[in-house]
Amino acid sequence: MDTPILDKLIEQLKMMPQDLQWRVLEFAHALASSTIQGVFGRQLLYFAGSIPPDDVKLMRQAIEQDCEQVYLNK
């Protein structure tokens, strides 16, 4: 474990109120007990090129337009 990271984390925790410290602890427990899911990228190569280029272009445009929006009232 990298000690400088631990030192910085402890430094931040000391400045937090106790309720936030508990939230950090709960989050750390959740991370420690989580398992990595998924597959290696090479297993996904089978799907490379399976989306038609026109559809990829439409998706890219939708992402560029809609993902830069911030809706504060939702």
Side-chain angles (χ1 to χ4, degrees):
M1 179 73 60
D2 196 356
T3 304
I5 292 174
L6 285 176
D7 293 341
K8 289 178 182 180
L9 180 60
I10 291 169
E11 205 175 289
Q12 292 295 314
L13 283 168
K14 286 179 180 179
M15 294 187 292
M16 291 180 185
Q18 191 171 25
D19 63 317
L20 292 181
Q21 290 177 8
W22 277 109
R23 288 177 62 186
V24 171
L25 180 60
E26 290 168 358
F27 181 65
H29 281 297
L31 285 176
S33 64
S34 66
T35 58
I36 297 174
Q37 298 178 350
V39 297
F40 290 105
R42 67 179 165 269
Q43 291 176 278
L44 300 175
L45 288 175
Y46 169 80
F47 299 103
S50 62
I51 302 174
D54 289 342
D55 290 346
V56 172
K57 184 178 178 181
L58 288 172
M59 287 188 279
R60 179 177 289 122
Q61 289 171 346
I63 291 169
E64 288 172 356
Q65 289 173 1
D66 296 332
C67 289
E68 294 179 6
Q69 301 291 325
V70 176
Y71 301 101
L72 299 175
N73 296 328
K74 285 190 175 188

